[in-house]
Amino acid sequence: MDGFAYLIQLVGYFTWMEAEDSQTIALDHAGQGVSAARDDFRRGVLEATYREMSAGDRAFARSMLPDNHGSKLADVARRMDRTTSYASTYKRRLLKQGIIGERAGGTLDFDVPILREFLAETKD
């Protein structure tokens, strides 16, 4: 689950809950555990993160959505219809909050698991 320790713990917890008294965990238990963990993570982490983001933070993050392998600041700024200087303000804010991270080649990507999908399906 993208290396996010809390989400991994949720998957384990919910998988064991699905297995109940069984001595083994079946593939079905694991699938249901992953689904329950995603739902819990969405409510407990993603929705809270989204509420704390400013309108500018959200606009910046949404402008990253078309890039599946990292976003260039210039592309994000263009999609926001703003200057790179303006977009840099939100880049710094989101980096500081741990929502995005810098990758090789100067690209930016989401550091919070499942946030990309959450933003794609969430409307203001």
Side-chain angles (χ1 to χ4, degrees), residues 43-69:
R43 284 188 306 276
V45 175
L46 298 178
E47 290 176 4
T49 298
Y50 186 77
R51 280 191 305 271
E52 292 174 6
M53 292 170 73
S54 71
D57 293 336
R58 292 176 185 175
F60 187 99
R62 281 206 168 93
S63 295
M64 291 175 57
L65 293 179
D67 304 314
N68 292 324
H69 302 290

Side-chain angles (χ1 to χ4, degrees), residues 101-114:
E102 292 186 277
R103 305 292 190 268
T107 61
L108 305 164
D109 212 342
F110 295 99
D111 275 354
V112 177
I114 317 170

